[in-house]
Amino acid sequence: MMGKIKINGKEFKFNEGETIYTVAKRNNIFIPVLCYHSQLRITGSCGICVVEVKINGKSELLNSCSEFAKEGMEVFTDSERVLEKRKDIIKSLILNHPVYCSLCDKNGICLLQDYTLLYGEKLEEYKYEREIKEYKIEPFIKFYPDLCIFCERCNRFWNEELNEGEIILIDKEKKDVRLLKDKDILKGFLNYLIDICPTGAFSENISQIYAKPWDLERIDTYCTFCSLFCEIRLYIKKKTKTRAYEGGRKFLPDRIFDIKYQNKGLIDSVICDNAKFGRDFISNDKILKRAKIEGKWKEIDMDEIVLNLKNKLKKYISEETGIILSLNMGNEEIDSLKDFFVNEKRVKNFLIVPGFFDTSFNLMKTNFKIEDIEDNTFILHTGYDFFNSHPVIGFEILRRLRKFKKVNLFSLSYEKGKIQREANDFLLIDNNTFKILKVLFKKLYKEFGVKKEIEEEFLNSFLFLRKIENLNEDNILKELNFEKGRFSKIVKSIINSKKLVVIYQDFIPFEIQKLCYSFKYIKFPVKILILRMWQNTEYFLNKKFPIIDIYEFKRKVENGMIKFVMIFNVNPFLFIKDEEFLKNIFEKCEIFVFDSFNGTHADLSNNVVPLKTFYEKEVKVMDNFCNIKEIKKVFESERIYLPEIISRLKEKESEEINFEEKVEIDLEIFSR
């Protein structure tokens, strides 16, 4: 059903259920808003969107954000009554709001500031006597209750989108607001409190007052902090803004000032706190700026680095060479590693940190899409709380849980928190508790059988399938103190569901991963979501590198079979807990480190090559769902791009010619 209303003398069509504000905005007619947000519940609490409405001969002031358009309405957005009302509203807000705009991060991008200048008096006329309070929320953001205007956007976002209730307590009568300190605050989306607030009530711990929007240049790219590679807008100083260094030399900026969601609206396209607050990695004190050659730190010299590495590779045969790596690199870098070290040098000792993967890891791939969660879906989660480990995918799963009522979530988790609050059934686990997965697998295996088109290499890599018939369900449930009726209810829910979605992280014990992945081979619709530790794992798996686990690597080092170890993009001291293994590696082997950041591994190694970070190169990546994305170069850097080194290593050395010997031979021939 459609109708017509007049706004400022012009006639416009509206659809049933549309508000006056929606119709005006669609037709580019400006109406100010503070509490309103298109994706949040309408409260009409601020009143700044007031308009004058005439209908049936009566005229009254109404909030345009909450008043539905009706046939025959005549609306005035800037009448004398409207402007006077807005002026009163602004005055009421500013009287309880400290005017220290020049020191506020939102200066220049604050709605209250804009509307005060548009509808209110001069800012200097407002006085604020009280001391300004400040509260820290986690390490990243601050809350200034005196800057709050009671719009409740933060509470509505926290409740409606995150299902977490309120984050601040508001008493409008006393003009008082305070942080709910005793609340278990959900980590992962604190950055939204900053962006959703129309004033500076929430702001970063690190002030951004020296980086205003008009000084910044936007680059649309992808976040590189996890395997999801979310779309982001990255902001750096404009290239016209340079910084002077000693000697009059100038450099382009090398700092990311802000990161925001890329696409539609504030909530349509989400980013997590890792993306927002981890952006300063590029200016981290630990970033490598020099190379280390035979124990001496030097300026970066590609020729010297390549010559040194060539000598090492000549010294050791392929069986004596081991490679320890993370998958924090682009497709092109993975390709170059495979082409040179596997195809050409025949290296077969690849260890992925944290080190417990074997060759069956190459077969374990995600086949899940977020659309797979629909009505009558059962989700089996094992591992850590994915709302913490991968907040964005957790956010999307939460939306599906709230959209579809017939979705069951059973979580076997190492930690309490958001996952416990959202799960239909929850079990806090240790390694022993995983026995319940075996019993669950047995039940489904007995019910449906196993598919014939299975990868034999994968199924032969663990023993439990061969022993599944011998599992005593009653004894295991009794041992775990898990009620049989409760277990039967879970099994029944899975059997009666439309599909089973299995979610786990690839940094839980590897045998448990293989157990979780085995559900894929049951004759039942099963989708697998493996949340990755390293960014580009999916692409790496497609290349099928010769992977060995930490136990095999350790054995070869101890027996003197591996003598030369190259470490790529990881500090193993941060991820490998086996101290004896680390000690043996650095005492018995010659080490060559390729990394962007300093650490214990670089300190102990005689040779270190500083590599470019993600935003210092233009590379492609494959996300957790096997989509190819392209990361844009943001900064120039003297650090080295890995494929350039490998390309130089592949160059054949020209044969040296002894010219004196050549001349003698020629003369001898000539004399004959």
Side-chain angles (χ1 to χ4, degrees), residues 419-649:
I419 190 71
Q420 181 185 20
R421 296 194 292 273
E422 296 297 336
N424 300 88
D425 202 336
F426 175 86
L427 183 63
L428 191 64
I429 55 169
D430 53 32
N431 287 337
N432 188 49
T433 318
F434 283 113
K435 290 179 181 178
I436 199 167
L437 281 177
K438 294 183 180 182
V439 179
L440 187 57
F441 183 89
K442 175 186 176 181
K443 280 286 188 181
L444 297 180
Y445 166 71
K446 285 284 191 180
E447 180 76 21
F448 300 108
V450 176
K451 297 174 184 175
K452 293 181 180 179
E453 60 277 11
I454 58 177
E455 292 99 331
E456 290 296 334
E457 182 184 353
F458 179 82
L459 289 181
N460 288 339
S461 67
F462 54 98
L463 301 175
F464 86 92
L465 274 179
R466 300 171 194 164
K467 300 177 180 179
I468 199 77
E469 300 287 346
N470 299 322
L471 282 176
N472 189 310
E473 173 189 330
D474 292 337
N475 287 347
I476 290 176
L477 291 177
K478 186 176 180 180
E479 177 188 345
L480 299 176
N481 197 26
F482 200 88
E483 295 176 11
K484 191 170 183 179
R486 179 182 172 191
F487 181 77
S488 298
K489 184 179 178 182
I490 291 170
V491 173
K492 185 177 179 181
S493 294
I494 295 175
I495 292 173
N496 292 333
S497 67
K498 186 176 180 179
K499 72 181 73 161
L500 172 65
V501 173
V502 179
I503 302 174
Y504 65 92
Q505 290 95 350
D506 70 1
F507 42 89
I508 63 174
F510 196 43
E511 289 302 312
I512 306 304
Q513 290 187 50
K514 289 188 276 190
L515 173 54
C516 290
Y517 196 76
S518 66
F519 282 87
K520 173 183 176 182
Y521 301 112
I522 293 174
K523 290 181 180 178
F524 187 78
V526 178
K527 295 293 182 178
I528 304 290
L529 172 57
I530 311 170
L531 296 170
R532 303 297 186 182
M533 169 181 279
W534 298 115
Q535 290 88 327
N536 211 6
T537 300
E538 299 295 341
Y539 188 80
F540 181 87
L541 296 182
N542 288 334
K543 296 298 174 178
K544 298 192 182 305
F545 277 73
I547 302 170
I548 62 174
D549 62 31
I550 193 170
Y551 311 107
E552 179 69 5
F553 204 98
K554 184 177 181 179
R555 182 187 69 80
K556 288 187 175 183
V557 169
E558 290 174 345
N559 294 338
M561 299 168 67
I562 293 179
K563 299 177 180 178
F564 177 52
V565 175
M566 288 174 282
I567 301 174
F568 289 90
N569 284 305
V570 69
N571 181 354
F573 288 90
L574 298 178
F575 297 95
I576 295 177
K577 304 303 180 184
D578 190 332
E579 294 181 5
E580 184 185 356
F581 170 78
L582 294 170
K583 182 181 178 182
N584 285 339
I585 290 286
F586 282 86
E587 285 184 357
K588 296 185 177 183
C589 301
E590 190 164 8
I591 306 294
F592 215 110
V593 170
F594 300 80
D595 206 345
S596 304
F597 297 93
N598 206 342
T600 307
H601 62 322
D603 292 337
L604 295 178
S605 173
N606 283 331
N607 297 282
V608 180
V609 177
L611 294 181
K612 291 183 183 295
T613 63
F614 261 120
Y615 293 134
E616 295 172 312
K617 56 198 177 187
E618 194 142 326
V619 293
K620 290 185 175 64
V621 292
M622 181 180 283
D623 69 15
N624 218 139
F625 308 107
C626 299
N627 302 308
I628 296 292
K629 295 176 178 177
E630 187 168 339
I631 310 297
K632 292 185 180 178
K633 181 194 277 190
V634 179
F635 304 110
E636 295 295 337
S637 168
E638 293 182 355
R639 283 178 282 275
I640 291 173
Y641 182 42
L642 183 58
E644 291 177 358
I645 300 179
I646 293 178
S647 177
R648 293 280 298 275
L649 290 174

Side-chain angles (χ1 to χ4, degrees), residues 94 99 101 112-113 116-117 121-127:
I94 291 295
V99 182
C101 299
L112 181 60
Q113 185 184 57
T116 302
L117 295 172
E121 306 289 349
K122 294 180 180 178
L123 289 172
E124 292 80 4
E125 296 182 12
Y126 296 102
K127 304 293 183 183

Side-chain angles (χ1 to χ4, degrees), residues 308-523:
N308 186 29
L309 187 53
K310 278 185 175 181
N311 291 334
K312 303 297 180 192
L313 292 172
K314 286 179 182 177
K315 185 177 176 181
Y316 302 99
I317 61 175
S318 60
E319 288 80 3
E320 296 173 326
T321 302
I323 292 178
I324 299 175
L325 75 164
S326 79
L327 309 180
N328 180 22
M329 58 183 81
N331 296 355
E332 295 83 352
E333 292 159 299
I334 291 173
D335 287 341
S336 63
L337 285 173
K338 178 71 181 290
D339 184 45
F340 182 68
F341 288 108
V342 179
N343 297 342
E344 186 171 326
K345 290 295 183 180
R346 305 297 178 187
V347 176
K348 295 183 179 179
N349 304 311
F350 281 81
L351 177 69
I352 304 172
V353 170
F356 40 66
F357 306 119
D358 60 30
T359 52
S360 62
F361 185 62
N362 286 325
L363 301 170
M364 298 166 65
K365 299 177 183 178
T366 290
N367 66 348
F368 166 88
K369 303 293 182 188
I370 193 63
E371 293 77 19
D372 288 324
I373 298 178
E374 54 185 338
D375 267 329
N376 204 20
T377 299
F378 192 100
I379 302 173
L380 172 62
H381 163 254
T382 304
Y384 293 91
D385 186 348
F386 53 72
F387 292 104
N388 286 337
S389 70
H390 293 72
V392 172
I393 194 62
F395 183 86
E396 294 298 338
I397 290 172
L398 177 61
R399 281 182 162 175
R400 310 295 284 191
L401 290 176
R402 301 191 74 183
K403 180 179 180 180
F404 302 108
K405 301 305 180 184
K406 294 182 180 179
V407 177
N408 282 301
L409 170 59
F410 174 41
S411 175
L412 298 164
S413 180
Y414 286 113
E415 53 190 346
K416 298 179 181 180
K418 180 70 171 174
I419 190 71
Q420 181 185 20
R421 296 194 292 273
E422 296 297 336
N424 300 88
D425 202 336
F426 175 86
L427 183 63
L428 191 64
I429 55 169
D430 53 32
N431 287 337
N432 188 49
T433 318
F434 283 113
K435 290 179 181 178
I436 199 167
L437 281 177
K438 294 183 180 182
V439 179
L440 187 57
F441 183 89
K442 175 186 176 181
K443 280 286 188 181
L444 297 180
Y445 166 71
K446 285 284 191 180
E447 180 76 21
F448 300 108
V450 176
K451 297 174 184 175
K452 293 181 180 179
E453 60 277 11
I454 58 177
E455 292 99 331
E456 290 296 334
E457 182 184 353
F458 179 82
L459 289 181
N460 288 339
S461 67
F462 54 98
L463 301 175
F464 86 92
L465 274 179
R466 300 171 194 164
K467 300 177 180 179
I468 199 77
E469 300 287 346
N470 299 322
L471 282 176
N472 189 310
E473 173 189 330
D474 292 337
N475 287 347
I476 290 176
L477 291 177
K478 186 176 180 180
E479 177 188 345
L480 299 176
N481 197 26
F482 200 88
E483 295 176 11
K484 191 170 183 179
R486 179 182 172 191
F487 181 77
S488 298
K489 184 179 178 182
I490 291 170
V491 173
K492 185 177 179 181
S493 294
I494 295 175
I495 292 173
N496 292 333
S497 67
K498 186 176 180 179
K499 72 181 73 161
L500 172 65
V501 173
V502 179
I503 302 174
Y504 65 92
Q505 290 95 350
D506 70 1
F507 42 89
I508 63 174
F510 196 43
E511 289 302 312
I512 306 304
Q513 290 187 50
K514 289 188 276 190
L515 173 54
C516 290
Y517 196 76
S518 66
F519 282 87
K520 173 183 176 182
Y521 301 112
I522 293 174
K523 290 181 180 178

Side-chain angles (χ1 to χ4, degrees), residues 61-288:
L61 297 180
L62 299 172
N63 289 342
S64 62
C65 72
S66 57
E67 189 67 27
F68 292 111
K70 297 175 184 175
E71 186 70 41
M73 267 187 177
E74 191 169 0
V75 179
F76 300 93
T77 64
D78 293 303
S79 68
E80 188 174 334
R81 288 180 67 193
V82 167
L83 295 178
E84 192 63 32
K85 181 64 175 177
R86 288 178 187 163
K87 185 175 180 179
D88 290 342
I89 291 169
I90 291 295
K91 186 173 183 178
S92 174
L93 291 173
I94 291 295
L95 283 173
N96 294 283
H97 189 97
V99 182
Y100 74 134
C101 299
S102 60
L103 300 177
C104 179
D105 286 353
K106 284 285 183 79
N107 184 26
I109 52 173
C110 172
L111 290 178
L112 181 60
Q113 185 184 57
D114 291 343
Y115 297 158
T116 302
L117 295 172
L118 189 59
Y119 301 112
E121 306 289 349
K122 294 180 180 178
L123 289 172
E124 292 80 4
E125 296 182 12
Y126 296 102
K127 304 293 183 183
Y128 189 83
E129 304 296 337
R130 291 185 301 180
E131 180 184 354
I132 299 171
K133 298 175 185 176
E134 174 186 313
Y135 299 99
K136 287 188 177 179
I137 306 177
E138 296 297 314
F140 302 120
I141 70 172
K142 296 174 289 188
F143 174 56
Y144 297 99
D146 303 272
L147 300 182
C148 177
I149 59 170
F150 315 121
C151 71
E152 297 190 65
R153 280 190 181 189
C154 55
N155 276 346
R156 282 180 285 155
F157 172 74
W158 221 246
N159 184 33
E160 296 166 32
E161 293 295 329
L162 300 180
N163 200 25
E164 287 293 308
E166 298 177 333
I167 192 167
I168 62 173
L169 188 64
I170 295 174
D171 188 335
K172 292 185 180 180
E173 290 185 6
K174 295 181 179 179
K175 302 292 183 184
D176 183 49
V177 58
R178 58 187 171 86
L179 187 68
L180 290 170
K181 284 190 173 182
D182 56 342
K183 183 177 178 62
D184 180 19
I185 295 175
L186 176 66
K187 299 170 185 173
F189 296 101
L190 292 172
N191 71 92
Y192 275 87
L193 297 175
I194 297 171
D195 288 339
I196 207 165
C197 180
T199 67
F202 291 97
S203 63
E204 292 192 44
N205 267 339
I206 301 174
S207 179
Q208 299 294 306
I209 60 174
Y210 48 85
K212 294 305 177 187
W214 46 86
D215 290 329
L216 299 178
E217 170 186 356
R218 188 187 94 193
I219 299 173
D220 289 351
T221 184
Y222 297 93
C223 174
T224 61
F225 282 96
C226 84
S227 57
L228 298 179
F229 292 108
C230 300
E231 294 176 289
I232 58 169
R233 287 177 174 173
L234 182 151
Y235 293 86
I236 62 172
K237 281 284 184 71
K238 290 179 180 175
K239 289 188 168 56
T240 54
K241 304 281 182 181
T242 57
R243 295 184 296 154
Y245 272 53
E246 61 274 7
R249 187 180 175 192
K250 290 186 175 182
F251 291 83
L252 292 173
D254 61 352
R255 181 178 175 186
I256 301 170
F257 282 86
D258 201 4
I259 290 179
K260 294 183 183 291
Y261 30 84
Q262 189 181 122
N263 278 336
K264 301 173 185 176
L266 181 65
I267 302 167
D268 282 330
S269 181
V270 296
I271 61 169
C272 70
D273 290 344
N274 293 333
K276 184 79 166 183
F277 303 122
R279 63 183 187 272
D280 279 341
F281 74 93
I282 197 72
S283 51
N284 192 297
D285 292 339
K286 291 280 188 181
I287 201 162
L288 288 168

